Amino acid sequence: MGLLDNKTAIVTGSSRGIGAEVAKILAGEGAAVVVNYRQKAPRANKVVGEIQAAGGRAVAVGADLTTQEGVQSLASAAMEEFGSLNVLVLNASGGMESGMEGDYALKLNRDAQINMLNAAVPLMPEGSRVVFVTSHQAHFVETVPTMPEYEPVARSKRAGEDALRGLLPNLAEKGISLVVVSGDMIEGTVTATLLDRSNPGAIEARRAEAGKLYSVEEFAAEVAKMVTADVESGHTEYVGGADYFGKSA
């Protein structure tokens, strides 16, 4: 018996990176998984194929989470494909991509998170869990300086976290818990690559300061653990980068 047998999970932004690894782990624990992508259907289909090859259940659903249509279609897909929705992993984020409008980071990292949660909650039974994935650079942005290139993204992700925490009383009424997973820079992520491109040496400097940076697979395992962990709603799970805690308020 898996920890998530007969449960359904949506993992946003799961066609690659951390989200893809989380989706595979949850499927391995018995969950039927909705793999979400914005544009890269072949990548999402590859993740689904890997899950199915391992005996799991998954479906790929394209949805732009910055649109109301996108969040609704993603939430509906869980019910249409698998008949339930018990886990929502809010992993999708961004803001360092080129060619996006000025408020894109806030639209994706705050507004889309709230809209996705609001679309999912009416479908989620008591005992369901929501996991929000963030970074130390965002979680501690009010008390610890971050790199200028990343600051707009960090502030938008912190705004998303604050907005989600504002919904804790509403979630409690429905018996749904929210857990935040905050991680240090992760080796090999899109954000780390873009950051190192705009600020060469940034990753190496952070690695030297922290002593170790988690890999995508290692961090995804920690995120997946929080789906079933026995913790209070509102709990923050810190992964790596312990030096941040001494600097925080």
Side-chain angles (χ1 to χ4, degrees):
M1 288 287 286
L3 288 170
L4 294 169
D5 284 347
N6 304 313
K7 301 283 173 66
T8 301
I10 291 174
V11 183
T12 66
S14 47
S15 65
R16 61 181 174 185
I18 294 161
E21 293 301 320
V22 170
K24 291 179 205 171
I25 295 168
L26 299 185
E29 291 175 352
V33 183
V34 178
V35 174
N36 162 240
Y37 67 93
R38 186 166 67 93
Q39 292 175 314
K40 305 288 196 296
R43 283 179 179 163
N45 289 330
K46 182 170 183 253
V47 175
V48 168
E50 288 174 14
I51 289 171
Q52 291 173 339
R57 294 179 298 151
V59 64
V61 177
D64 180 350
L65 303 185
T66 64
T67 68
Q68 197 55 44
E69 181 186 50
V71 297
Q72 290 295 344
S73 67
L74 189 55
S76 299
M79 303 303 291
E80 289 163 9
E81 295 287 338
F82 303 119
S84 64
L85 177 55
N86 314 88
V87 175
L88 173 62
V89 179
L90 295 169
N91 167 74
S93 67
M96 292 194 72
E97 303 88 343
S98 57
M100 295 297 188
E101 62 267 32
D103 63 347
Y104 178 71
L106 209 52
K107 266 189 180 173
L108 178 58
N109 298 331
R110 183 193 64 188
D111 301 348
Q113 311 298 323
I114 294 299
N115 291 340
M116 187 68 239
L117 182 66
N118 286 338
V121 160
L123 310 175
M124 300 176 86
E126 187 175 347
S128 295
R129 165 95 17 118
V130 179
V131 177
F132 176 65
V133 181
T134 189
S135 65
H136 292 349
Q137 291 83 6
H139 183 76
F140 293 110
V141 71
E142 300 298 340
T143 52
V144 183
T146 189
M147 283 154 278
E149 300 87 352
Y150 189 66
E151 188 165 343
V153 176
R155 291 197 176 279
S156 65
K157 280 188 74 69
R158 182 67 225 199
E161 180 182 339
D162 290 343
L164 289 167
R165 288 186 185 279
L167 297 177
L168 281 169
N170 306 35
L171 294 174
E173 282 178 17
K174 296 177 182 295
I176 299 171
S177 56
L178 167 72
V179 176
V180 173
V181 182
S182 178
D184 203 341
M185 276 188 197
I186 309 298
E187 302 265 18
T189 58
V190 175
T191 298
T193 302
L194 293 173
L195 194 53
D196 215 42
R197 195 175 294 159
S198 61
N199 184 354
I203 302 302
E204 187 54 52
R206 181 64 200 137
R207 190 185 299 116
E209 189 177 25
K212 165 191 164 63
L213 296 182
Y214 277 65
S215 69
V216 167
E217 293 79 9
E218 288 170 332
F219 183 65
E222 297 301 317
V223 173
K225 274 184 203 170
M226 287 300 110
V227 168
T228 53
D230 183 11
V231 292
E232 293 290 318
S233 188
H235 170 77
T236 305
E237 183 72 10
Y238 296 108
V239 181
D243 56 321
Y244 269 86
F245 314 138
K247 302 172 186 173
S248 64

